Amino acid sequence: MIMNRKKGIERRKNKRYKAVKGSYASINPTSRIIGPITDISMGGLAFKYTDTGGDNSIEEPLEEKTICLSNLGYFVGNISFKTVSEKEITTVPSFLSGSMKVKLKQVQFVALDFQQMIDLDNYLRNNVYEPLENFPPDNDNKENLPPE
């Protein structure tokens, strides 16, 4: 995401869509960072997760490397990413640790291979509220055809 702070104009390479209920993202197969996807595009996503800040007996991976997406019948795994933003959005009471922080994590996909792009495109077409435009665009426009 490129943001022009003076004018407040947001410029993204890819249009983002609101994810349907039941769409989840998880960091690495062994991570405890998992939560519902709030919005997604071919370039990245945002999701919420609960940070208990409690028991660290299960070590988190030192470096986040991949993310997996899932919803009933759809799965895209091992997508490389970089974290763009991570912020606390609320704190909720907990019986175990007193309170838990709900965070919003925004990530940008990096180095997608061809199969991951196909899988991600399929995931988007079936797991967002707003329908995606046709891809590739229809070539019914006769004006753009070469002369015969």
Side-chain angles (χ1 to χ4, degrees):
M1 168 178 67
I2 300 170
M3 180 71 90
N4 182 336
R5 298 228 185 258
K6 290 182 183 178
K7 295 182 183 177
I9 299 170
E10 184 177 327
R11 297 181 188 134
R12 296 183 185 268
K13 289 182 180 180
N14 305 101
K15 185 174 180 182
R16 292 182 89 83
Y17 299 92
K18 185 171 174 69
V20 297
K21 188 175 181 177
S23 299
Y24 283 86
S26 67
I27 307 292
N28 300 327
T30 59
S31 176
R32 291 176 285 160
I33 299 176
I34 183 171
I37 298 171
T38 58
D39 62 85
I40 186 169
S41 76
M42 285 296 289
L45 63 84
F47 71 103
K48 295 178 186 178
Y49 72 95
T50 303
D51 179 8
T52 59
D55 184 8
N56 289 331
S57 62
I58 302 172
E59 291 294 321
E60 290 292 329
L62 294 176
E63 192 175 319
E64 298 173 339
K65 294 184 179 182
T66 60
I67 192 166
C68 300
L69 316 177
S70 66
N71 198 338
L72 189 59
Y74 298 95
F75 178 81
V76 183
N78 299 321
I79 300 174
S80 298
F81 74 94
K82 69 177 183 177
T83 299
V84 175
S85 170
E86 187 168 11
K87 60 186 173 189
E88 182 179 330
I89 54 175
T90 189
T91 302
V92 294
S94 167
F95 293 110
L96 300 175
S97 62
S99 69
M100 296 183 298
K101 297 174 185 172
V102 177
K103 293 186 175 182
L104 179 69
K105 187 175 191 78
Q106 297 172 310
V107 303
Q108 179 181 2
F109 303 139
V110 295
L112 293 175
D113 64 30
F114 186 70
Q115 187 59 52
Q116 287 174 321
M117 285 191 271
I118 291 171
D119 292 345
L120 185 56
D121 180 68
N122 187 45
Y123 186 90
L124 283 170
R125 290 180 184 277
N126 294 284
N127 293 290
V128 297
Y129 283 119
E130 189 176 321
L132 299 172
E133 301 89 308
N134 288 335
F135 184 78
D138 294 330
N139 289 327
D140 292 338
N141 189 348
K142 302 283 186 205
E143 295 172 1
N144 295 329
L145 294 177
E148 293 180 17

